[in-house]
């Protein structure tokens, strides 16, 4: 099943059950300065999860573009990426656990309407309870209508409590995992399941959050006026399970990008994965109006592009390699007619890479000589995270506090310089 078909089936399934399809919001959150990028499908819906009336009703479904960079160092393994599409359906104070779980199970396993996944390979986790909320016996009971008890595990808040940041709607969740190994692992005990999860042999394909609590300054303070359901399935991971792959880079969402790098004989798969992931994310950021810069969102974009280029050099590619991947993203079959890209994408990325390309080699030489990360940043354009990564590879630790202090001094100086100029 190709990714286009997966999106289509997901939306149709929920439309048939009374949900209205809403468009993906921008990657750049509107009216929310607390986060740089949209990280989950629920994020643009926060006011409605808190009780505001949504103009399209109480049952919604969509496919939301998301960027998450907190796991950037994991990119290169089988399942992590910095951009992804999140399939989500919502009940804004309408249905609750019974329907949410039933529909999750049906969509995952039904062959005609859904994805036809093998139920024997599914594992379910349910919230075990803590001082904030009780053990989710209800979800556990409902799941037993569909799944044998030995495939349902109670887990703590670390894995089965969902919230975005320190403030906002939150709640316990139930997560669905799929055994993606070729021969199948058979029935796993909880301990074996946890090991398989750590080894990426079982992969999370869907999450149903039962959002009925509110958090303020990191503390759960109250129950919301309505009980919501917020679900999220990462398209890339779901596609991996459906296409019987053991990693996202072999799915149709990545294969046409990775194959651009086939001509490089380097067996450095991690670098190849980092290159396609970071360039894909950059193209989507630029589509939503982000430009490379030294602060905020622009800095994240700059970091991604520059890091991608360092990895391009590692596999002995060059400037043209970056552009080939950019072109593969904008002409991707799966994005046609769905996402509009910025017509200046190639130009924006070319400028950024050629600027960095000029200082990269000399910067690397300076790095080898042990030059200060602050100089590497200001004179050679090395984002601190890149210097830290290069240092890590050599077993050196960078003193981040010293760098941050120098940066603060530098920013104050350039600001006061600017003010003087302005006054004159
Ligand atoms: N908000 C939840 C998540 O991101 C479900 O959508 O996993």
């Amino acid at each position: 099943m190709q990714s286009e078909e997966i999106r289509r089936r997901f939306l149709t399934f929920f439309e048939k059950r009374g949900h209205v399809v809403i468009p993906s919001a921008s990657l750049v959150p509107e009216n929310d300065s607390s986060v740089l990028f949209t990280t989950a499908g629920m994020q643009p819906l926060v006011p409605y999860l808190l009780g505001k009336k949504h103009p399209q009703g109480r049952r919604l479904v969509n496919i939301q573009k998301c960027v998450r960079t907190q796991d950037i160092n994991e990119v290169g393994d089988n399942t992590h990426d910095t951009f992804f599409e999140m399939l989500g359906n919502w009940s804004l104070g309408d249905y609750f656990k019974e329907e949410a779980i039933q529909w999750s199970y049906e969509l995952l396993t039904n062959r005609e309407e859904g994805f036809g996944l093998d139920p024997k390979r599914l594992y379910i986790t349910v919230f075990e309870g803590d001082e904030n909320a009780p053990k989710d016996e209800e979800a556990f009971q409902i799941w037993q209508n569909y799944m044998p008890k030995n495939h349902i595990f109670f887990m703590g808040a670390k894995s089965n409590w969902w919230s975005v940041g320190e403030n906002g709607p939150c709640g316990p969740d139930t997560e669905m995992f799929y055994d993606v190994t070729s021969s199948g692992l058979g029935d796993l005990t909880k301990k074996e399941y946890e090991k398989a999860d750590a080894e990426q042999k079982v992969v999370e394909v869907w999450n149903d959050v039962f959002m009925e609590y509110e958090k303020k300054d990191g503390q759960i303070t109250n129950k919301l006026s309505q009980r919501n359901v917020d679900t999220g399935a990462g398209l890339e991971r779901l596609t991996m399970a459906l296409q019987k792959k053991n990693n996202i880079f072999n799915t149709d969402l990545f294969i046409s990008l990775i194959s651009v790098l086939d001509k490089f004989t380097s067996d450095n798969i991690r670098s190849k994965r980092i290159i396609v992931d970071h360039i894909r994310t950059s193209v989507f950021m630029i589509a939503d109006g982000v430009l490379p810069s030294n602060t905020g969102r622009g800095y994240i974009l700059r970091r991604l592009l520059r890091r991608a280029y360092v990895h391009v050099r590692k596999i002995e590619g060059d400037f043209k390699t970056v552009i080939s991947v950019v072109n593969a993203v904008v002409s991707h079959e799966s994005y046609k007619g769905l996402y509009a890209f910025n017509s200046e994408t190639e130009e924006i990325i070319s400028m950024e890479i050629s600027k960095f390309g000029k200082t990269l080699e000399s910067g690397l030489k300076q790095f080898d000589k042990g030059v200060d990360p602050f100089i590497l940043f200001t004179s050679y354009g090395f984002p601190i995270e890149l210097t830290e990564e290069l240092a890590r590879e050599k077993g050196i630790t960078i003193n981040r506090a010293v760098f941050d202090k120098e940066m603060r001094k530098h920013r104050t100086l350039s600001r006061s310089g600017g003010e003087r100029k302005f006054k004159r």
Side-chain angles (χ1 to χ4, degrees):
M1 200 183 289
Q2 295 294 289
S3 51
E4 292 102 307
E5 175 69 5
I6 299 171
R7 289 193 199 91
R8 198 187 60 71
R9 283 191 181 224
F10 182 80
L11 295 175
T12 311
F13 183 92
F14 283 103
E15 256 191 305
K16 278 199 186 146
R17 286 157 184 82
H19 294 64
V20 177
V21 181
I22 56 168
S24 171
S26 167
L27 278 177
V28 176
E30 288 166 30
N31 315 320
D32 184 356
S33 55
S34 67
V35 279
L36 289 177
F37 293 103
T38 301
T39 58
M42 55 73 74
Q43 217 171 292
L45 296 171
V46 166
Y48 309 103
L49 292 161
L50 293 175
K52 189 175 163 187
K53 206 170 170 317
H54 195 284
Q56 310 279 5
R58 303 205 300 170
R59 294 185 182 195
L60 306 174
V61 61
N62 89 347
I63 293 159
Q64 174 62 48
K65 297 179 281 183
C66 299
V67 163
R68 286 187 191 174
T69 51
Q70 69 265 38
D71 291 332
I72 189 168
N73 291 323
E74 313 295 325
V75 175
D77 70 3
N78 286 343
T79 59
H80 284 91
D81 48 7
T82 53
F83 167 87
F84 61 97
E85 292 168 78
M86 191 185 280
L87 316 180
N89 59 287
W90 292 274
S91 156
L92 302 170
D94 189 5
Y95 61 85
F96 205 44
K97 297 183 186 181
E98 191 83 48
E99 291 89 337
I101 291 175
Q102 181 190 342
W103 292 338
S104 291
Y105 180 79
E106 280 175 10
L107 181 57
L108 288 178
T109 57
N110 186 294
R111 283 180 186 279
E112 285 75 45
E113 263 194 296
F115 301 135
L117 286 174
D118 178 359
K120 289 196 207 68
R121 284 175 175 253
L122 269 182
Y123 287 89
I124 310 299
T125 62
V126 177
F127 183 56
E128 72 180 9
D130 65 7
E131 65 283 6
N132 291 313
K135 188 171 181 177
D136 200 347
E137 292 286 1
E138 193 187 347
F140 183 62
Q141 288 304 327
I142 300 168
W143 270 119
Q144 284 177 65
N145 297 332
Y146 312 101
M147 297 286 301
K149 233 180 177 153
N150 65 341
H151 277 229
I152 313 171
F153 303 124
F154 280 103
M155 308 284 273
K158 205 162 167 260
S159 54
N160 285 59
W161 185 275
W162 206 89
S163 59
V164 63
E166 298 293 281
N167 291 290
C170 57
D173 66 33
T174 177
E175 303 187 357
M176 291 143 262
F177 287 77
Y178 198 66
D179 172 353
V180 292
T181 59
S182 53
S183 46
L185 298 167
D187 290 336
L188 301 171
T189 61
K190 184 172 176 188
K191 224 174 159 165
E192 289 164 343
Y193 154 82
E194 284 172 324
K195 184 165 175 276
D197 179 25
E199 292 169 349
Q200 302 183 320
K201 289 180 176 164
V202 295
V203 169
E204 184 192 333
V205 286
W206 205 348
N207 181 14
D208 291 356
V209 186
F210 304 119
M211 226 164 224
E212 55 170 333
Y213 295 88
E214 187 170 13
K215 209 173 173 185
K216 286 179 188 150
D217 296 329
Q219 299 293 327
I220 317 287
T221 50
N222 56 288
K223 277 205 166 185
L224 295 168
S225 57
Q226 63 188 36
R227 299 193 305 178
N228 308 293
V229 175
D230 156 41
T231 88
L235 178 65
E236 285 72 2
R237 290 187 189 177
L238 191 57
T239 306
M240 163 182 162
L242 286 170
Q243 295 180 357
K244 296 193 167 52
K245 307 291 181 194
N246 69 357
N247 74 81
I248 54 172
F249 298 94
N250 279 349
T251 66
D252 76 291
L253 287 161
F254 277 107
I255 207 82
S256 61
L257 312 183
I258 279 276
S259 64
V260 171
L261 306 177
D262 280 350
K263 64 173 183 243
F264 300 103
T265 50
S266 164
D267 55 9
N268 185 346
I269 294 175
R270 182 168 172 268
S271 282
K272 290 185 178 178
R273 290 176 174 182
I274 290 172
I275 295 164
V276 296
D277 169 78
H278 287 13
I279 294 178
R280 184 175 79 132
T281 305
S282 302
V283 171
F284 274 95
M285 284 182 177
I286 293 168
D288 282 344
V290 183
L291 293 173
S293 77
N294 272 345
T295 54
R297 292 181 189 101
Y299 179 67
I300 307 276
L301 172 58
R302 169 158 287 168
R303 249 177 80 191
L304 287 172
L305 284 170
R306 293 186 177 194
R307 183 170 190 242
Y309 192 58
V310 168
H311 285 276
V312 164
R313 300 294 296 141
K314 277 193 188 182
I315 62 161
E316 294 178 3
D318 59 18
F319 177 79
K320 290 198 292 281
T321 316
V322 175
I323 301 306
S324 316
V325 179
V326 171
N327 290 331
V329 177
V330 298
S331 60
H332 201 303
E333 274 303 316
S334 192
Y335 303 143
K336 264 197 193 131
L338 183 61
Y339 300 120
F341 295 108
N342 184 329
S343 57
E344 287 167 18
T345 307
E346 189 178 322
E347 217 175 310
I348 295 164
I349 293 182
S350 295
M351 258 167 67
E352 177 67 11
I353 297 293
S354 55
K355 199 162 31 170
F356 181 56
K358 283 198 192 103
T359 54
L360 175 61
E361 304 303 331
S362 39
L364 287 172
K365 282 197 194 107
Q366 298 301 319
F367 173 82
D368 285 337
K369 285 191 210 150
V371 156
D372 188 338
F374 176 73
I375 311 270
L376 283 174
F377 177 65
T378 46
S379 307
Y380 299 90
F382 278 41
I384 178 67
E385 295 80 2
L386 182 60
T387 306
E388 284 177 326
E389 184 178 348
L390 295 170
R392 251 195 324 270
E393 284 166 10
K394 299 205 160 183
I396 311 167
T397 329
I398 300 281
N399 189 334
R400 183 66 185 255
V402 173
F403 173 84
D404 289 341
K405 204 168 142 201
E406 280 185 275
M407 274 310 287
R408 275 197 297 275
K409 220 161 65 193
H410 174 70
R411 288 211 168 108
T412 318
L413 277 178
S414 43
R415 247 203 313 274
S416 59
E419 276 158 21
R420 267 202 303 278
K421 240 184 261 156
F422 186 70
K423 274 181 195 149
R424 245 186 274 143

